[in-house]
Amino acid sequence: MPERRDDLRNIAIIAHVDHGKTTLVDCMLRESGQFRQSQLSGEQILDTNDLERERGITILAKNIAILYEGVKINIIDTPGHADFGGEVERVLRMADGCLVLVDAAEGPMPQTRFVLSKALEEGLRPIVVVNKIDRGDARPHEVVDEVFELFLQLGADDSLADFPYLFASSKEGFATYDPDVPGDTIRPLMDLILKEIPGPMVDIGEPLQMLVTTLDWSDYVGRIAIGRVRAGSIRKGQGVVLMKADDRHVQGKIASVYTFDKLGRNEVHEADAGDIVAVVGLADVEIGDTICSPRLPRALPRVSVDEPTLRMTFGINSSPLAGRDGKYVTASHLRERLMRELERNVALRVEPIPGTEQFAVSGRGVLHLSVLIETMRRESYELSVGKPEVIFRSSNGVVEEPFETLVVEVPGNQTGPVMEMVGARRGQLSHMTSRGDYTHMTFSVPARGLIGLRTRLLNATQGTAVIHHRFEGYKPKEHSIPGRSTGVLVSTVSGKAVAFALDTLQQRSELHVAPGDVVYEGMIVGENSRSGDMDVNPTKEKKLTNIRAAGSDRNILLKPARRLSLEEALEFIEADELVEIGPTHMRLRKILLRESDRRRAARARAKEVQSS
């Protein structure tokens, strides 16, 4: 008979990006009293990945466990950015309840709706935490009302709509039931978790069932399968059957079993149903597989995530500077690395492009794919990537494209540029409110229109815009959307850039290179101030004579070169351009490097347009 375990709680922490999930976990770790002070130094303790530290966001879901009042609490910290929704969707299968964090000033944001809808689909018991009540513009009671409205919009029943809630400041380290009476401890939240989040329902007498929701890797033991034991128990040395996606049964044997303890894992002989474990010894295991007992193999529903909406072309670096600083530069290296990424990144799709050595890589957004590219760059891969393109689909003979909900918050005097730019990208204003000096606008905009929009909005609003977006759904395809309005400067020679040549070019462009930078034919060295590309020679030196004339020499004052970030570069390029990425460099280039080839291709395109 199924019974409930009262000695265990499995909870996921879900929220919009920057609403304080990881900082709240820091507070819970400190409150548990299981750590030395030196173990919990700094902030965002769980964000151990270098990219997470640098960007200040959570990219990968993390599992930890703490002991509180004799109860083990398994905590799953999830990403808050919409592009990493695939991470959230699969790890929610391991939880029985969730902490829904909402900023006391911003209120529910696009990703809050997304993750909450997924949590309600899984039947998780929610606790709402209104965080950051120490902000000067906090409005905690209004935010609770907004969250209640969101629950109703998502179809929550009466029991879920009557959710428990409290107020907190993870930065100050306290939780309270009254925002006007700050506390000095996070214990009210911990007590509420034990009271409101149910322990897992288990049937230890049943044969083993465990759904694999996460994969880890160790150079010593290989693949590590992580998931929650749904029924029975799992032990070291046990023979099991892997239920694969195509109904195949693969025999295996458990080499080691680990349970989560504090910030790490402890090896155990056996783990019972309800607990989250890591299993070693199954070489062919994949996310979504079910680990079963051989005497009664029964597959659990596989992990399913929303389909990707954006596609990019990955290929080897074919520029004249290829192979100078990368360790992995061949197509086979690229293929092997992308296939390895598929094992743990369930929201990613990789398809070889027939007749080429390139791959079509599909994901949730520019950030989702750029994190993969940046990770590969740091692993000494060299590659080139093309312009991001949305994925269209056909439904009942109608071509549809993905639309996104775009939320922009700007000072009231900056709404004009925002409305103009988003309107030019076929965006439709659906909601507009004012909060103090700021205006909060919600748009429905084609995903095509978002490519390159963030940088332009920030430039137009002097960096004051706060921008978020979330996948909304597929709608009939809109008309053409304007792309980059300016052309680029393309080098016609190879060599090193010279200050004399750049001084002339900067009068009509914004430069991407500085004196001494290596350039090659076909490389993009700047952004033209007008539409249309311009071929230039950035290596041209001043002609020297033995005659000096008064006033002929002058100081050369160059503006600093504009160095684009990876996301900015991906949004900047057009369809005939590539971003070339290596361990120590990033360059923009034309696909066709020679000027004569580009002219020939332009004439061929013009003939096609005329004939059609």
Side-chain angles (χ1 to χ4, degrees), residues 388-405:
E389 300 174 342
V390 301
I391 300 174
F392 299 100
R393 73 178 189 185
S394 180
S395 176
N396 298 323
V398 178
V399 178
E400 296 181 334
E401 66 175 323
F403 273 67
E404 306 234 354
T405 298

Side-chain angles (χ1 to χ4, degrees), residues 201-425:
M201 289 294 293
V202 300
D203 195 338
I204 298 179
E206 286 290 308
L208 168 66
Q209 270 188 311
M210 171 183 160
L211 180 67
V212 179
T213 52
T214 306
L215 282 183
D216 202 353
W217 173 264
S218 167
D219 292 334
Y220 300 101
V221 298
R223 292 192 192 185
I224 303 172
I226 299 172
R228 173 175 160 179
V229 183
R230 293 285 173 177
S233 59
I234 189 167
R235 65 182 181 276
K236 183 177 180 179
Q238 179 180 4
V240 296
V241 171
L242 270 181
M243 307 291 288
K244 309 291 286 184
D246 50 3
D247 293 331
R248 285 187 300 119
H249 294 193
V250 178
Q251 302 287 335
K253 185 177 180 180
I254 305 297
S256 303
V257 178
Y258 296 83
T259 57
F260 290 89
D261 182 37
K262 303 182 182 68
L263 298 176
R265 303 173 187 150
N266 274 351
E267 185 173 2
V268 297
H269 178 72
E270 186 175 9
D272 293 328
D275 209 351
I276 297 174
V277 300
V279 175
V280 173
L282 304 175
D284 297 327
V285 68
E286 296 175 347
I287 290 175
D289 291 351
T290 304
I291 302 173
C292 302
S293 168
R295 63 188 176 92
L296 187 59
R298 296 172 300 164
L300 291 165
R302 292 188 70 85
V303 175
S304 62
V305 298
D306 291 342
E307 291 297 310
T309 58
L310 203 69
R311 179 189 294 120
M312 289 169 55
T313 301
F314 283 44
I316 60 172
N317 180 15
S318 59
S319 82
L321 304 180
R324 293 199 177 184
D325 61 347
K327 183 178 179 182
Y328 306 105
V329 298
T330 66
S332 59
H333 286 144
L334 184 60
R335 175 191 297 273
E336 185 259 338
R337 178 62 180 84
L338 291 175
M339 294 302 123
R340 195 165 74 243
E341 184 69 21
L342 281 178
E343 295 177 358
R344 62 174 67 185
N345 198 335
V346 293
L348 199 73
R349 303 287 185 273
V350 177
E351 300 173 4
I353 298 177
T356 70
E357 293 184 333
Q358 298 177 325
F359 301 86
V361 182
S362 306
R364 286 289 187 87
V366 173
L367 182 61
H368 182 204
L369 296 176
S370 69
V371 166
L372 169 61
I373 296 168
E374 179 66 20
T375 303
M376 293 174 64
R377 183 188 72 79
R378 297 182 183 209
E379 294 172 357
S380 292
Y381 283 84
E382 272 193 39
L383 66 156
S384 59
V385 295
K387 178 181 176 62
E389 300 174 342
V390 301
I391 300 174
F392 299 100
R393 73 178 189 185
S394 180
S395 176
N396 298 323
V398 178
V399 178
E400 296 181 334
E401 66 175 323
F403 273 67
E404 306 234 354
T405 298
L406 173 69
V407 177
V408 184
E409 189 170 343
V410 291
N413 60 350
Q414 299 283 0
T415 56
V418 174
M419 299 280 285
E420 181 181 351
M421 287 190 173
V422 178
R425 302 296 185 97

